[in-house]
Amino acid sequence: AQSVTQLGSHVSVSEGALVLLRCNYSSSVPPYLFWYVQYPNQGLQLLLKYTTGATLVKGINGFEAEFKKSETSFHLTKPSAHMSDAAEYFCAVIDTGGFKTIFGAGTRLFVKA
Amino acid sequence: GAVVSQHPSRVICKSGTSVKIECRSLDFQATTMFWYRQFPKQSLMLMATSNEGSKATYEQGVEKDKFLINHASLTLSTLTVTSAHPEDSSFYICSARDFAASGLSRADTQYFGPGTRLTVL
């Protein structure tokens, strides 16, 4: 069965600093991997996704993530944090043959001025 | 891009009443819709998978008689919380898959609604 682990329930960075949110997955087959962002009292917005091909994936709002099979990781990064990046971030995985999305526990990003 | 709406966005009800939440795909057909529940500061938990024209598939531990799901058309799925109690208070989020998607992208074309905050007094 697929699973997702997000290391760190809270991450705090200063405005302009590097953002690094960690995600590790467990899968017996090549996974489809996603990062979503959720603002308070709102639904989820897709930041980026990895299915096949290039392992470095660029998403919206300057975020990118790299799929590393050897490390079973899909960490999310952004070179320079902005105040508007403060939100909850979810890493997720879906089976290539399945329909379900399995979410990690989430990481809340705080951005300090 | 594809849009999924939910109605209502917030609802407050008395214990023992039933509440219906609608999930609509506005500009695409959705053969499959998903219903999630999210407790404060927690992740999304899949409750059930709703397929148009057939019975919903519920996740283990979810009471199908408590959470009634109807997917009567390719653009609408409803979740009815029957005889709601305070412990049912939560944030409910639906998502929909785009029927038009094909090939390898089929599995990942999933769009989320804005969520419905249910408070049971």
Side-chain angles (χ1 to χ4, degrees):
Chain A
Q2 259 71 348
S3 67
V4 175
T5 302
Q6 290 184 240
L7 300 177
S9 59
H10 297 83
V11 170
S12 182
V13 300
S14 298
E15 191 173 20
L18 172 71
V19 175
L20 171 60
L21 305 183
R22 300 177 185 274
C23 172
N24 288 88
Y25 69 91
S26 171
S27 176
S28 58
V29 296
Y32 287 175
L33 294 160
F34 306 81
W35 275 100
Y36 291 92
V37 61
Q38 184 181 34
Y39 296 99
N41 295 311
Q42 294 187 27
L44 274 66
Q45 181 182 8
L46 180 66
L47 279 176
L48 49 79
K49 63 188 180 188
Y50 169 79
T51 54
T52 59
T55 56
L56 181 62
V57 182
K58 295 185 183 297
I60 62 172
N61 301 338
F63 285 94
E64 62 182 36
E66 186 172 12
F67 170 61
K68 292 187 177 180
K69 183 179 178 180
S70 61
E71 299 178 5
T72 62
S73 69
F74 191 56
H75 302 331
L76 182 71
T77 60
K78 181 174 181 177
S80 177
H82 192 273
M83 296 296 289
S84 60
D85 294 326
E88 187 85 21
Y89 291 81
F90 292 98
C91 183
V93 65
I94 186 168
D95 287 348
T96 54
F99 297 90
K100 299 179 183 179
T101 301
I102 300 167
F103 290 90
T107 298
R108 181 162 295 276
L109 176 65
F110 296 92
V111 182
K112 300 174 291 186
Chain B
V3 177
V4 175
S5 70
Q6 279 185 243
H7 178 78
S9 58
R10 293 177 178 269
V11 57
I12 301 173
C13 68
K14 294 182 179 180
S15 184
T17 61
S18 294
V19 175
K20 180 184 286 187
I21 302 171
E22 293 185 348
C23 177
R24 293 182 183 272
S25 56
L26 298 185
D27 49 5
F28 66 99
Q29 293 181 322
T31 52
T32 304
M33 291 183 171
F34 303 88
W35 287 97
Y36 296 86
R37 184 173 181 177
Q38 185 180 31
F39 290 103
K41 300 182 179 181
Q42 293 189 28
S43 188
L44 282 72
M45 299 298 297
L46 180 64
M47 298 175 64
T49 302
S50 170
N51 295 297
E52 187 267 338
S54 64
K55 292 184 178 180
T57 302
Y58 290 83
E59 295 300 299
Q60 190 173 11
V62 177
E63 300 176 60
K64 61 180 180 180
D65 294 330
K66 173 111 180 125
F67 298 100
L68 300 179
I69 292 173
N70 183 277
H71 195 158
S73 77
L74 286 172
T75 59
L76 174 64
S77 176
T78 60
L79 168 68
T80 301
V81 183
T82 62
S83 187
H85 291 282
E87 58 265 30
D88 298 323
S89 298
S90 190
F91 195 53
Y92 293 87
I93 301 175
C94 73
S95 70
R97 287 183 48 181
D98 189 345
F99 178 74
S102 61
L104 287 176
S105 66
R106 182 175 180 84
D108 63 8
T109 313
Q110 188 174 353
Y111 304 97
F112 287 84
T116 296
R117 172 78 57 194
L118 171 62
T119 303
V120 185
L121 303 177

